[in-house]
Amino acid sequence: YMAPEQILAARPEDVGPGADIWALGVILHELLDGRPPFGASSVSELKAKITNPRLKIPCRRIDPALVPVVQAALARDEDERIGSARELVDRLQEQREASATRKKEQEEAKQREEGAKQRKQEEDERKREAQAEAKSKAAVETRRREEAQAEARRKEERQGLAAQEAKRRAEEQRLAAQEAKRRAEEQDRA
């Protein structure tokens, strides 16, 4: 939990309140990431990592919105570090509120998306039902038309048969009349 300036300071008086902010930053990192910012097998290795300005502080599991706050609390240069515990709390609070706002906006967006998806599904269902109904009506209309055409054909056939029957009877009557005339002529001759 030692700040870089504590490791590098020649005298304890050279270390200011920023070292406490560093320690809070280490604790915050552990709380959010589940491990300290620097792993080391020895104290000398740990001191080297803490004082190395080129070594980035890993924030693997920390919410991306909180990474800048953690990094600001763990700035190796005390002048670039968060200035007070109050400022640290305020920045965390701002991020928490911003995160809550983002989460709320994401939930609202998700609800809007789900609502739009639900409306689309309902609209698609209505379209399918309308298409099925139109198809059913078309099938009924086709069946009616086919039945009407079949009935018209049967009527034509009946009329044709009736006309043939009338013609046959007329022919029988004409033949019967001829036969009667022929018999009458035979009787007149006899």
Side-chain angles (χ1 to χ4, degrees):
Y1 298 93
M2 286 181 74
E5 61 269 21
Q6 286 176 297
I7 296 168
L8 300 173
R11 302 173 307 164
E13 307 82 58
D14 294 339
V15 177
D20 295 333
I21 300 302
W22 174 275
L24 286 173
V26 172
I27 293 168
L28 182 62
H29 187 285
E30 283 186 82
L31 289 171
L32 297 173
D33 199 58
R35 63 181 121 202
F38 306 107
S41 57
S42 69
V43 173
S44 60
E45 182 185 355
L46 180 61
K47 287 180 178 182
K49 286 184 176 182
I50 290 172
T51 57
N52 183 349
R54 290 186 302 277
L55 189 62
K56 287 199 166 219
I57 297 167
C59 298
R60 294 172 197 90
R61 293 185 231 154
I62 298 176
D63 179 344
L66 295 175
V67 169
V69 178
V70 172
Q71 289 177 336
L74 294 175
R76 288 188 173 86
D77 184 346
E78 189 176 2
D79 294 335
E80 294 176 9
R81 200 174 301 147
I82 291 176
S84 68
R86 172 81 280 163
E87 183 183 347
L88 178 60
V89 169
D90 290 346
R91 289 186 61 182
L92 288 170
Q93 182 66 29
E94 286 171 11
Q95 288 305 321
R96 188 176 92 183
E97 290 170 2
S99 182
T101 300
R102 277 192 303 277
K103 186 175 181 180
K104 183 180 177 185
E105 289 171 352
Q106 289 170 347
E107 287 173 1
E108 289 171 352
K110 185 177 179 181
Q111 287 175 349
R112 284 192 302 272
E113 187 177 303
E114 287 173 357
K117 186 177 179 182
Q118 179 67 29
R119 286 190 296 279
K120 173 89 169 88
Q121 288 173 342
E122 290 169 358
E123 180 64 26
D124 289 347
E125 182 61 28
R126 281 194 295 273
K127 284 180 182 177
R128 280 192 295 276
E129 288 173 0
Q131 288 172 345
E133 186 177 337
K135 198 173 186 180
S136 175
K137 284 181 180 179
V140 167
E141 186 58 36
T142 299
R143 196 174 322 114
R144 284 183 187 155
R145 195 171 37 254
E146 288 171 351
E147 288 173 359
Q149 289 171 348
E151 182 58 33
R153 282 192 299 275
R154 286 191 294 271
K155 186 176 179 182
E156 281 179 18
E157 287 172 6
R158 285 192 303 268
Q159 288 174 344
L161 290 174
Q164 286 176 353
E165 182 64 21
K167 201 176 188 183
R168 186 185 61 76
R169 284 184 189 157
E171 183 63 24
E172 283 177 357
Q173 287 174 356
R174 185 184 67 76
L175 289 173
Q178 278 179 351
E179 183 62 29
K181 184 177 175 183
R182 185 184 62 77
R183 280 188 195 157
E185 285 176 358
E186 278 180 11
Q187 277 181 352
D188 284 344
R189 277 188 251 164

